[in-house]
Amino acid sequence: MLLSLSWLREFTPYKGSIDELSHRLTMVGLEVEEIIRPFPHLSPLVVGRVIEKRQHPGADKLSLCSVNVGGPDSLNIVCGAPNVEAGQNVAVALEGTKLPGGQEIRKTRIRGETSQGMICSETELELGQDSAGIMVLNDGIKPGTGLSYALGLEEFVLDIGVTPNRPDCLSVLGLAREVAALFDLPLNMPVLNLYEDGDRDCTDEVQIEIEDPAGCPLYQARIISGCHIRPGPAWMRHRLMAVGVRPINNIVDVTNYIMLELGHPLHAFDRTLLEGDWIRVARAHSGSRFTTLDNQERELNDRDLLIRDTRKPVALAGVMGGANTEINDRSSEVLLECAVFNPLNIRQTARRLGLHSESSFRFERGVDQAGAPFALDRAAQLMSELGCGRVYKGVAKSEPRPCKPLQVGFRRERANSLLALDVDQEYCRRVLTSLGCQIQEESGTMQVTVPTYRPDITREVDLIEEIGRVYGLDKTPEHLPKVQKSLEQGEADHEYEFLDSIKQWARGLGLQETINYSFVGMTDLDFLGIPLEGRVRVFNPLSEEQDVMRSHLLPGLLYTLKHNLGQGNTRLRLFETARSFVQDQTSETGVRENNRLALMLYGRRHRGHWPYPQDDVDFYDLKGLVENLLQSFGSFEGHFVLQENHSYLEPAVRCVYHRKEIGLLGRVRPEQSRVYKARKDIWFADLDLDKLHELCSGVKPQFQALPRFPVVKRDMTVVAPLELGYQQVLEVVENAGVAILEDVSLVDMYLPQEQQEKKFTLRLTYRHPDRTLKDSEVDREQQKMVDLLLKKLPVGFP
């Protein structure tokens, strides 16, 4: 929000410095991001008086002017404007001045005559569109006066960052209320003295019909007739330009002026282009098309709200008017609209169409319904006073849902307790009253009627916050809160501790944490073949690429991978702990949230320099991470099972722990990974942390004494069919009941060519806790193992 300091002073008599004002506004949550001088290019220009004008001897269309600019001597200036005359006050650019277009004024000779400056037009100074002649100023201005001062141009404009919960501060009036409360100043509202001309009544000329009261709780309009479309007055044009609004014509300029002044957008229709005497507010039909003021045809859906006349749509409600009823040079009668629209509807339409305007920006945050009649009358009064036309009496109005102010109880004791202050009742009353609240006292408690322009105040604590803001949060003394119980009595957040320990584990293994949005695109999930059932759609998405809550973590990590590859980072070891979201009617919110851990490996196994080998990560790197995780948080009693026909992993392997499936791991299908610019295999694991936490929560570390006796190791080669997995062999060996068997490991696996078999070489480690083993004991147990394998599995031995 751009705030003109001189405009602000019309509402409240602030006389302090611009720096003090900026500081106080920032301290109450209205951050001043920049102090702007809107017309710095005009500071060298001065007012000059043309003393004499005579014909240039060498050119019929040039004049020689003697101009008094406040100095001891007049300047000779050659001027080509047809409207220059002796006795005029004009805008003069002196020697050395640089004009907005980049032209630097120098003393020069034009057709043999010396010119010591330049008499400027509006166009040359970027103050208007009139290029037919020079600017002619008021007669009473003293020569040599700065042009900015003479024209009353804004000296300072504050660029204020207004948070979404404060729509009242998107206007000069709203910010003036804040300044008046902060500096204990009066607030001066514009005087409303509207003169309604003629015998014709607007209520007889226009009927309002609202088909969707939820989308439009109020619609009202006035008629202005006998209009003459021309540029607005200079003071209004200059003020609009100072705050970044382009002047258009007197009618449109008034609507923009009122929007900035009071915060309520208005729209002017050319009434001669409206058909019939009905204005109807209704939803659009899906697939219908409408051309807006920017001459762009828009495709609408049934959530968009339209303003219609008897036969056609004439405006996209709250966003932009239609090209078919635009004010133009031939407009003679205006229908002036002032309405209130549902913020959510306007936000959805503006974002979907990518059509953002000053009006939609305010409607998206909410406008003051109770203040709408004043805004309409104020605009009509300005149009009448500026000679734009005559105002019909009466207002065509429909208000199916009147607004009702909210009442909130307020206790001074509660305010002092929360703010650690000692403010009295009178101070609280004065602050709340200065902010527009109405107060009634009942049994020591204030009943505060909240003004309708403050939708952010709904509870007592909001009123307390207002007291603290005006008092000055930077002035609030610091007090440590009183602790009612010892730290030992507090309950630990076991879920947070577990998730934090998972992150520490991952970082300890050299993985880098990623944090992605909880929103993904419906098309991303479809591309990965993730089922449609259970997806949680976002009702008001930030974009079409983020229109559903993530049910899987893979899409976010794939975009992280793509971004890193685009930056030249081709070796990635990533992890993310986050929640997935799936519809669940048994949940209180209708959505089940599940803590997940995602791992992603890509590129080289080691850093790309000597002496490390230059090989890429594979399945066993990923499997090793998962095994390490299970061993770190429990005892490794898990196994891995191949899953056929997975939608985005090939191979896909299920991880089973304590007979419960806790996740999947494998390689992302090449045809899918290539879309994300991957030239190598992407290895991905997705684990259910809630299940893992549940299974590991009862596991406690146990002490085991260091062994005192040596081990005996024996190798065993098993010949097995191709379809038999190592896991099946391992289960038989581990469940054989051999007490002295301490460890089993796979040393090698050999696949002979052109044979339907494979060979596993196992290394079995034996140890007795109380004595040294004899070879005969080990041989006996080894033979038992061989006999058991032959009995349980279709295997052999070489």
Side-chain angles (χ1 to χ4, degrees), residues 335-350:
L335 181 74
L336 183 61
E337 166 199 280
C338 183
V340 176
F341 302 110
N342 184 291
L344 181 59
N345 290 345
I346 305 304
R347 189 179 307 121
Q348 289 175 337
T349 298

Side-chain angles (χ1 to χ4, degrees), residues 26 65 123 145 253 287 333 387 473 510 562 567 583 628 639 664:
T26 299
C65 300
T123 305
T145 304
D253 289 354
E333 194 165 81
L473 296 178
K562 181 179 179 181
Q567 300 299 315
Q583 289 183 15
N628 184 278
H639 62 275
L664 279 169

Side-chain angles (χ1 to χ4, degrees), residues 666-697:
R667 181 188 63 178
V668 178
R669 290 178 177 271
E671 64 269 20
Q672 293 168 329
S673 62
R674 282 194 294 267
V675 174
Y676 297 92
K677 309 302 181 185
R679 298 181 178 180
K680 299 180 179 180
D681 291 339
I682 302 174
W683 297 97
F684 174 76
D686 179 23
L687 303 174
D688 188 333
L689 290 182
D690 290 335
K691 285 185 180 179
L692 184 61
H693 187 202
E694 178 185 350
L695 294 171
C696 296
S697 58

Side-chain angles (χ1 to χ4, degrees), residues 775-792:
D775 287 342
S776 59
E777 292 179 276
V778 176
D779 292 341
R780 187 168 53 251
E781 298 298 335
Q782 184 90 344
Q783 187 59 45
K784 286 182 181 180
M785 199 79 66
V786 170
D787 295 339
L788 187 61
L789 285 169
L790 292 171
K791 180 180 178 181
K792 295 282 189 180

Side-chain angles (χ1 to χ4, degrees), residues 698-724:
V699 177
K700 295 183 179 180
Q702 295 182 351
F703 171 76
Q704 185 176 3
L706 292 174
R708 295 182 297 149
F709 299 96
V711 299
V712 177
K713 296 184 179 181
R714 297 289 173 86
D715 289 351
M716 175 192 298
T717 298
V718 180
V719 181
L722 290 177
E723 62 272 12
L724 185 70

